[in-house]
Each structure stands twice: as structure tokens, then as C-alpha cells.
């Protein structure tokens, strides 16, 4: 009888111990354990999703014209709201124009193409035209690169692209295919939730950020390059294509930021 009671106690102990262990099991998913965690709790799975990954996926479909405006616009509005909450939970800060940093290390506003910012041509631009859009709602900022190796002639080094302002990375491409029709090449979209705008940095050689990364003004995000359908040919001088978009009801409308970038800090 004593032996039987002892075996029953042991069985109960093993059952309780095993059950507690299974209930509290935690598993990390992917390389970024900060933005993707899965907790197993008696069979149910909870996922702390990074909404920037969804925006990135939708943005790339729009670029390839794989989704219609009527379908995409409601989703864009929802995702921007989710991204704002995500940014706030992560301790993201509010920045103003006075915090802006000139986006090319070692260069000043004199490197901006055109005259008095006239390279900005928004006429005909429509975000939902994807890579087939017309117009040029951007400022091109050129580097000294006569042999077109994407390096500065004076230093022999790649030129760092810095975040002009703070925010959160919502879309990027780091594996541009020269055979594709992708006009932006290797690009970065960085969203500022507090003023509902996003800067778009295009034609980079290499990207150092990913969707969900929070950046501060002046942070290194890429190297200037020659990627993109029209930027890769020899006829194009090496430059950064920089656009600013204001999201109105989910739709990104271009804005001319030339007067403001003239006042940006240089390092």
C-alpha cells in the first residue's frame, strides 16, 4: 500500500511539472527576436507582428502594378495606423524640420541637381502607376564619380546615405535585379508617423536597414549607388534620388522640400 501511494505521488508530480513546462514554452522566430516572438500557450499561437513587413509587401505589389488602387488604399490607411502605434510602443520620437540632416555625408546642398530645385517635376505622377509613373517628384543629389564606380573621386570611398529625419523604415529593396523594370533600384522608404510623411531614397548600392527599424536624423541607412532602370546606364551620373510624400487618406502625394533641405545640418 505504501508503495502504491508513493507511485501515485510521483505520477502527480511528473504531470504537474510537465504541464507547467509546456504552458510557458517560448520560441523566437526569425533573426529579429525584438519584432517577432511566438508564445505557445496550450496550443494557441500569439504573434507580435511587425506591420512594416505588410506595408513592404503591399508597396512592392503596387510598384509592379499587381494590385488596384481601390483594393490597396484601405489597406494602406490601416497599415499606417498600425505602424504609428508600433512606432510609439517602441519609443519612437517626434522630429521637426529643424532636426533635418543633409542626406549625403561629405556633401552639401550645392550637390542638388538643377537650378534652385527645378529638378522637382510632380506633373503626371501617380503612386499607383508603380514603376510606370511619369513626372519626377524628387531632388537628385549628385556625387563626384567620374568613373562611375559608385565611389567618391576624392576619398575613394562609398558615400553614406543618412536619414534626413527620424522615423521608421516601412519598405526597402536590397536585391535589385538589373533585368527588372524596377526604377528605384535598391531603395528605402522611411515613415515619420507624427507628421504622416515618408522620405524615399532610391538608386542605392547597398541598404543597411530593414522594415521595422527605427532611425534618427543622421543615421546611416545606405550607400549611394547606380541601381535602377534609368540610373544604371552610363548616361546617368551617380546620384541619390530623394522624394518626400505626404500620406493623405492613405495616398502618398509628393511634396517639394527644396526650401527646407537647404537648411539641413551637415556633418
Amino acid at each position: 500500500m505504501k508503495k502504491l501511494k508513493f507511485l501515485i505521488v510521483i505520477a502527480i508530480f511528473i504531470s504537474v511539472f510537465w504541464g507547467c513546462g509546456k504552458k510557458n514554452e517560448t520560441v523566437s522566430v526569425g533573426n529579429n527576436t525584438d519584432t517577432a516572438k511566438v508564445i505557445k500557450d496550450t496550443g494557441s499561437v500569439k504573434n507580435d507582428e511587425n506591420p512594416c513587413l505588410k506595408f513592404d509587401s503591399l508597396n512592392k505589389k503596387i510598384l509592379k502594378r499587381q494590385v488596384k488602387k481601390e483594393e490597396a488604399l484601405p489597406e494602406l490607411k490601416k497599415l499606417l495606423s498600425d505602424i504609428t502605434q508600433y512606432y510609439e510602443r517602441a519609443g519612437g520620437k517626434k522630429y521637426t524640420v529643424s532636426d533635418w540632416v543633409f542626406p549625403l555625408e561629405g556633401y552639401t546642398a550645392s550637390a542638388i541637381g538643377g537650378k534652385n530645385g527645378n529638378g522637382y517635376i510632380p506633373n503626371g505622377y501617380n503612386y499607383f502607376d508603380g514603376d510606370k509613373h511619369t513626372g519626377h517628384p524628387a531632388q537628385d543629389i549628385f556625387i563626384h564619380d567620374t568613373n562611375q564606380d559608385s565611389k567618391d573621386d576624392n576619398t575613394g570611398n562609398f558615400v553614406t546615405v543618412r536619414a534626413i529625419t527620424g522615423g521608421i523604415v516601412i519598405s526597402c529593396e536590397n536585391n535589385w535585379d538589373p533585368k527588372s523594370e524596377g526604377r528605384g533600384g535598391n531603395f528605402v522608404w522611411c515613415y515619420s508617423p507624427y507628421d504622416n510623411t515618408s522620405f524615399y531614397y532610391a538608386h542605392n548600392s547597398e541598404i543597411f536597414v530593414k522594415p521595422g527599424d527605427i532611425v534618427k536624423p543622421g543615421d546611416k541607412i545606405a550607400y549611394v549607388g547606380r541601381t535602377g532602370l534609368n540610373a544604371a546606364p552610363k548616361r546617368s551620373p551617380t546620384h541619390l534620388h530623394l522624394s518626400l510624400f505626404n500620406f493623405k487618406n492613405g495616398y502618398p502625394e509628393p511634396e517639394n522640400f527644396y526650401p527646407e533641405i537647404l537648411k539641413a545640418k551637415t556633418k
Side-chain angles (χ1 to χ4, degrees), residues 62-79:
I62 293 172
L63 288 176
K64 297 177 182 178
R65 299 196 299 175
Q66 296 175 341
V67 59
K68 295 181 179 180
K69 176 180 179 179
E70 295 74 19
E71 301 173 31
L73 202 53
E75 183 64 15
L76 285 172
K77 292 171 65 175
K78 180 182 182 303
L79 284 172

Side-chain angles (χ1 to χ4, degrees), residues 52-207:
C52 299
L53 295 175
K54 290 185 177 181
F55 186 99
D56 179 57
S57 177
L58 180 58
N59 182 49
K60 289 174 180 176
K61 288 180 181 179
I62 293 172
L63 288 176
K64 297 177 182 178
R65 299 196 299 175
Q66 296 175 341
V67 59
K68 295 181 179 180
K69 176 180 179 179
E70 295 74 19
E71 301 173 31
L73 202 53
E75 183 64 15
L76 285 172
K77 292 171 65 175
K78 180 182 182 303
L79 284 172
L80 290 174
S81 176
D82 292 343
I83 290 169
T84 297
Q85 294 178 41
Y86 186 86
Y87 182 72
E88 291 174 345
R89 289 199 303 270
K93 297 181 179 180
K94 180 179 180 179
Y95 297 96
T96 65
V97 175
S98 63
D99 298 308
W100 283 18
V101 173
F102 196 76
L104 291 192
E105 187 173 47
Y107 286 78
T108 66
S110 63
I112 299 174
K115 185 177 181 180
N116 297 324
N118 65 359
Y120 178 87
I121 307 171
N123 296 343
Y125 177 82
N126 186 330
Y127 170 67
F128 288 97
D129 287 338
D131 279 323
K132 298 295 183 180
H133 72 78
T134 57
H136 183 264
Q139 297 294 344
D140 287 340
I141 309 175
F142 296 86
I143 68 170
H144 304 298
D145 180 24
T146 54
N147 63 358
Q148 298 189 341
D149 64 353
S150 295
K151 295 180 180 180
D152 182 86
D153 290 340
N154 298 318
T155 66
N157 299 323
F158 290 107
V159 177
T160 295
V161 178
R162 302 181 300 192
I164 188 171
T165 188
I168 183 169
V169 178
I170 56 176
S171 185
C172 58
E173 175 61 63
N174 201 25
N175 295 292
W176 175 69
D177 182 358
K179 297 179 181 179
S180 73
E181 295 184 346
R183 294 174 63 172
N186 290 333
F187 62 79
V188 176
W189 284 75
C190 189
Y191 179 62
S192 300
Y194 291 106
D195 57 14
N196 205 33
T197 61
S198 180
F199 272 102
Y200 168 66
Y201 309 76
H203 306 325
N204 306 283
S205 63
E206 189 175 359
I207 303 296

Side-chain angles (χ1 to χ4, degrees), residues 16 35 39 60 72 83 97 107 109 124-126 193 201 211 213 232 235 239 253 261 263:
V16 171
T35 58
I39 301 176
K60 289 174 180 176
I83 290 169
V97 175
Y107 286 78
Y125 177 82
N126 186 330
Y201 309 76
D213 284 354
R235 66 176 182 271
H239 66 280
E253 293 188 1
I261 197 173
K263 303 174 184 178

